Amino acid sequence: MTENETRPLIGITAYGERARYGVWDHRTVLLPFTYPDSVIAGGGVPVLIPPLVAAAPAVDRLDAVVISGGPDVDPALYDAEPHPHTGRPRPERDAAEQEIIERALDRGIPVLAVCRGLQLLNVVLGGTLHQHLPDVVGHHGHNPTPGVFGEVEVALEPGSRVAAVLGTSVRGQCHHHQAVDQLGKDLEVTGRAADGTIEAAELAGRPFVVGVQWHPEQDDPRLFGALVAAARERTRT
């Protein structure tokens, strides 16, 4: 990037959770610092988007969007009954991020969807989820310890956008008990774990709409750099 080149504005969806800090205990808009750090490392300027439908029009002023990780997607959104292990839904966040994804897709804005983000992208496009992955794969390797990231080896599809950035395999940081089941419209699987879990998917025919099940913001900003590059390319065309 040249000294005079403007850094793209990259929106990141934030959590809406009750949190305690200092003398306060109240509802809070929050996000792990690893997300904005990764956007900055990739050459962009991070802009946090609160989990409010009224905030979704901010997408129109952004150059790209990151759909961050977080709690389980409400199974009602894909016409399923909740599994006993499915967490409490966050309808306000689900609704806001649905609107953000739809606006980004309608406007051709690049998207990087992380963990829950991939799952919600899939649901928005008409897909479904495995609500408790250990029931499917027979182990807890994708979420071995609550609050601690595990590791997963992901084989990436040659010729895919993720492979162009990361090569044909990557060891990712993971922390999830749900995953993509039936694919949404026009999504293509571009990465899998050894147990068959879908770890990466991309929207066909789009310059950059990529979802990954692992957490690249933990230790590998390359996908954020690719998102920023896609945002910059879009503004030039």
Side-chain angles (χ1 to χ4, degrees):
M1 186 178 71
T2 64
E3 184 177 351
N4 294 325
E5 190 170 8
T6 302
R7 288 175 173 257
L9 296 178
I10 311 299
I12 314 171
T13 62
Y15 296 51
E17 300 289 338
R18 191 165 193 90
R20 296 179 64 183
Y21 57 95
V23 298
W24 305 108
D25 179 354
H26 52 196
R27 289 185 67 225
T28 307
V29 175
L30 56 83
L31 186 75
F33 242 110
T34 48
Y35 285 98
D37 282 347
S38 295
V39 167
I40 291 169
V45 175
V47 178
L48 271 60
I49 309 174
L52 302 168
V53 171
V59 171
D60 299 355
R61 303 185 183 186
L62 299 172
D63 300 305
V65 174
V66 177
I67 310 298
S68 65
D72 295 339
V73 174
D74 188 348
L77 296 180
Y78 49 98
D79 298 323
E81 293 296 319
H83 186 284
H85 288 285
T86 295
R88 175 177 64 85
R90 308 298 201 278
E92 190 172 50
R93 182 174 179 185
D94 286 340
E97 291 186 348
Q98 274 187 288
E99 178 68 17
I100 288 165
I101 290 170
E102 289 170 355
R103 292 181 83 97
L105 296 182
D106 285 346
R107 290 153 179 76
I109 295 171
V111 175
L112 175 60
V114 175
C115 196
R116 163 195 158 90
L118 167 59
Q119 296 166 13
L120 186 59
L121 173 65
N122 186 59
V123 168
V124 167
L125 293 172
T128 64
L129 303 179
H130 294 300
Q131 288 192 53
H132 193 56
L133 196 54
D135 293 346
V136 179
V137 299
H139 63 81
H140 291 81
H142 295 272
N143 187 5
T145 306
V148 178
F149 286 96
E151 288 193 342
V152 60
E153 188 74 28
V154 182
L156 301 174
E157 189 67 30
S160 64
R161 296 175 186 84
V162 285
V165 178
L166 304 175
T168 56
S169 68
V170 66
R171 181 170 289 275
Q173 302 291 302
C174 63
H175 192 280
H176 64 100
H177 80 110
Q178 300 198 335
V180 171
D181 181 10
Q182 296 177 0
L183 278 175
K185 179 177 171 58
D186 294 330
L187 276 178
E188 298 177 345
V189 176
T190 54
R192 288 186 185 271
D195 60 16
T197 300
I198 294 173
E199 294 284 342
E202 302 172 10
L203 191 57
R206 297 298 184 103
F208 198 99
V209 177
V210 172
V212 295
Q213 188 58 68
W214 71 93
H215 284 265
E217 80 282 359
Q218 289 302 307
D219 60 356
D220 189 348
R222 288 180 291 173
L223 283 173
F224 290 86
L227 177 71
V228 171
R232 189 173 288 121
E233 182 62 29
R234 176 177 175 269
T235 62
R236 288 172 177 164
T237 57

Tab-separated table of all heavy atoms in Angstrom, residues 6 23 26 134 136 141 197 207 218:
chain	number	residue	atom	x	y	z
A	6	THR	N	-5.769	5.105	0.608
A	6	THR	CA	-6.695	5.014	1.732
A	6	THR	C	-6.883	3.570	2.164
A	6	THR	O	-7.098	2.687	1.335
A	6	THR	CB	-8.054	5.621	1.352
A	6	THR	OG1	-7.873	6.972	0.950
A	6	THR	CG2	-9.023	5.553	2.512
A	23	VAL	N	-16.578	-0.963	37.865
A	23	VAL	CA	-17.706	-0.994	38.800
A	23	VAL	C	-19.031	-1.288	38.081
A	23	VAL	O	-20.093	-1.253	38.713
A	23	VAL	CB	-17.821	0.349	39.551
A	23	VAL	CG1	-16.584	0.604	40.372
A	23	VAL	CG2	-18.067	1.506	38.570
A	26	HIS	N	-23.536	-4.471	33.047
A	26	HIS	CA	-24.681	-4.134	32.212
A	26	HIS	C	-24.502	-4.708	30.807
A	26	HIS	O	-23.480	-5.308	30.499
A	26	HIS	CB	-24.916	-2.624	32.155
A	26	HIS	CG	-23.703	-1.820	31.783
A	26	HIS	ND1	-23.609	-0.469	31.978
A	26	HIS	CD2	-22.522	-2.179	31.208
A	26	HIS	CE1	-22.443	-0.022	31.562
A	26	HIS	NE2	-21.767	-1.029	31.083
A	134	PRO	N	-20.449	-33.408	17.971
A	134	PRO	CA	-20.051	-34.721	18.480
A	134	PRO	C	-21.034	-35.838	18.148
A	134	PRO	O	-20.623	-37.004	18.018
A	134	PRO	CB	-19.956	-34.492	19.999
A	134	PRO	CG	-19.590	-33.047	20.118
A	134	PRO	CD	-20.359	-32.369	19.013
A	136	VAL	N	-22.329	-36.222	15.366
A	136	VAL	CA	-22.078	-36.570	13.964
A	136	VAL	C	-20.708	-37.221	13.786
A	136	VAL	O	-20.584	-38.230	13.093
A	136	VAL	CB	-22.170	-35.294	13.079
A	136	VAL	CG1	-21.899	-35.623	11.615
A	136	VAL	CG2	-23.524	-34.627	13.242
A	141	GLY	N	-13.246	-33.093	19.421
A	141	GLY	CA	-11.999	-32.480	18.991
A	141	GLY	C	-12.122	-31.060	18.495
A	141	GLY	O	-11.134	-30.306	18.509
A	197	THR	N	-15.966	-32.744	8.567
A	197	THR	CA	-16.603	-31.467	8.912
A	197	THR	C	-16.248	-30.392	7.891
A	197	THR	O	-15.079	-30.227	7.524
A	197	THR	CB	-16.151	-31.005	10.305
A	197	THR	OG1	-16.523	-32.002	11.267
A	197	THR	CG2	-16.788	-29.683	10.684
A	207	PRO	N	-16.464	-12.360	-6.100
A	207	PRO	CA	-15.023	-12.151	-5.950
A	207	PRO	C	-14.491	-12.592	-4.594
A	207	PRO	O	-13.427	-13.183	-4.495
A	207	PRO	CB	-14.864	-10.641	-6.150
A	207	PRO	CG	-16.048	-10.252	-6.973
A	207	PRO	CD	-17.165	-11.139	-6.518
A	218	GLN	N	-7.069	-15.582	15.479
A	218	GLN	CA	-6.251	-15.950	16.631
A	218	GLN	C	-4.754	-15.906	16.339
A	218	GLN	O	-3.963	-15.554	17.211
A	218	GLN	CB	-6.636	-17.354	17.124
A	218	GLN	CG	-7.981	-17.413	17.798
A	218	GLN	CD	-8.056	-16.475	18.992
A	218	GLN	OE1	-7.218	-16.511	19.891
A	218	GLN	NE2	-9.067	-15.615	18.992
